[in-house]
Amino acid sequence: QVQLVQSGAEVKKPGASVKVSCKASGYTFTSYGISWVRQAPGQGLEWMGWISAYNGNTNYAQKLQGRVTMTTDTSTSTAYMELRSLRSDDTAVYYCARVLGVGAHSQIDYWGQGTLVTVSS
Amino acid sequence: QSVLTQPPSASGTPGQRVTISCSGSSSNIGSNYVYWYQQLPGTAPKLLIYRNNQRPSGVPDRFSGSKSGTSASLAISGLRSEDEADYYCAAWDDSLSASVFGGGTKLTVL
C-alpha cells in the first residue's frame, strides 16, 4: 500500500532553516510527483509547491519563491522540503502528498502524516 | 483569503443530505477539475472526490461531487456521525500556475 512517512516535529528559532523529509513506499517513486502543503494552527490548507520525482522539475508557490527548495533522492524514494529564513507565521503542520500528473492535470491522492514545525524564539 | 470560497460551516442531522459549495473563477474551477478532501480531526486530509465527480475506491457512494461553470458542490447523503470533519475543495489555477484550496468547511453532525 502507498505510504508517505514524514520526519518528526521540529522547533526552530526565527531566521533559521528547517528540512522535512518524506519517505515513500508502495509505488514506483519516479512515476509520480510530490507536493508540499502546509496548515497553520486552526487554518486551512496552503499549497507550497510541487516537484517531479522523475526529473526534479519544480513549481513553487509565488509567496515562497526564494525561501523554499524541494528535492528528491530517487535512491531512497525520499522527498525533502527546506524552508529558510523562518518566521513565526511559518508555524504549521507540513504535509507531503503524492501527485499524479503535472500542472492542470495534477491530482493529489495520498498524504503523509504531517510534520509540525514550530517557529519560536 | 483563499482563492476558492467555501462556507466556513455546515451542519445536518443523521440521515440528512447536506451540500457544501465551492466558488471560484474561470482560471480555476471554470477550466480545470475540482477535487475534494476530507480531514478528520487531528489527521491528514484524505482524497474524497477527484476530477469533479469521481470517487476513489473505498469512498462510500454517499459522497458525490458536481461542477457547473465556476462553482462546484460536494453532497453527502445519509449523513453519519463519522462524517463530522473539515472538507476542502481544490483546483489548479491557470493564472497562478498553482494548485489552490478553498478555506475549508467544518461539517457538524447534530
Side-chain angles (χ1 to χ4, degrees), chain A residues 37 39 43-47 59 95 103-109 111-113, chain B residues 32 35 37 39 43-47 50-51 88 92 94 97-99 101 103:
Chain A
V37 177
Q39 186 171 35
Q43 302 301 309
L45 303 172
E46 179 188 10
W47 183 83
N59 179 22
Y95 294 102
H105 303 285
S106 61
Q107 170 181 316
I108 290 177
D109 54 9
W111 298 67
Q113 85 275 18
Chain B
N32 295 300
Y35 300 83
Y37 299 91
Q39 186 175 34
T43 69
K46 167 192 164 186
L47 180 63
Y50 67 99
R51 294 194 173 187
Y88 294 90
W92 179 262
D94 293 329
S97 291
S99 288
F101 287 93

Side-chain angles (χ1 to χ4, degrees), chain A residues 55-113:
Chain A
N55 58 18
N57 284 352
T58 55
N59 179 22
Y60 301 139
Q62 192 169 12
K63 70 174 285 188
L64 295 174
Q65 289 271 4
R67 285 208 301 140
V68 68
T69 301
M70 297 175 188
T71 56
T72 60
D73 181 345
T74 56
S75 68
T76 59
S77 298
T78 303
Y80 299 91
M81 185 284 300
E82 181 180 34
L83 189 60
R84 301 176 292 279
S85 302
L86 289 168
R87 308 186 291 247
S88 58
D89 62 356
D90 291 318
T91 293
V93 175
Y94 288 74
Y95 294 102
C96 63
R98 190 180 80 161
V99 180
L100 174 64
V102 180
H105 303 285
S106 61
Q107 170 181 316
I108 290 177
D109 54 9
Y110 289 92
W111 298 67
Q113 85 275 18

